[in-house]
Amino acid sequence: MLGYALGRSLQDGDSCTVQQLSDRLQQDNYRGRTLIREVVLSIPFRNSQGGKVVIESAVPPPPKRTVPMVVK
């Protein structure tokens, strides 16, 4: 799950984070919400240099007004 969230394979430096995630999951009876919360709050996830996040508006932009050309 951490590798998926980071958008890359896990590396040797991620072992501390994986161990911390595992410990927290065990303490909270392996709940899915705990896994998601801990991944999002993890240092590698918060410091990742992933791609740009684009948030698109659900409302379409207003149509452009065109002014007719008058040729004399």
Side-chain angles (χ1 to χ4, degrees):
M1 181 81 150
L2 180 62
Y4 183 79
L6 295 175
R8 62 171 173 78
S9 298
L10 294 179
Q11 301 168 353
D12 291 338
D14 296 324
S15 61
C16 292
T17 303
V18 171
Q19 185 61 49
Q20 184 179 14
L21 286 170
S22 177
D23 293 344
R24 297 262 171 93
L25 279 169
Q26 186 178 17
Q27 290 171 357
D28 202 22
N29 204 24
Y30 299 99
R31 292 181 181 212
R33 105 182 334 166
T34 301
L35 174 61
I36 295 168
R37 181 184 66 233
E38 294 302 320
V39 166
V40 170
L41 294 176
S42 70
I43 292 172
F45 183 81
R46 295 180 63 120
N47 293 334
S48 69
Q49 298 294 319
K52 180 179 177 183
V53 175
V54 177
I55 301 173
E56 296 182 17
S57 175
V59 179
K64 285 188 173 184
R65 296 182 126 197
T66 57
V67 180
M69 273 179 84
V70 177
V71 180
K72 292 184 178 185

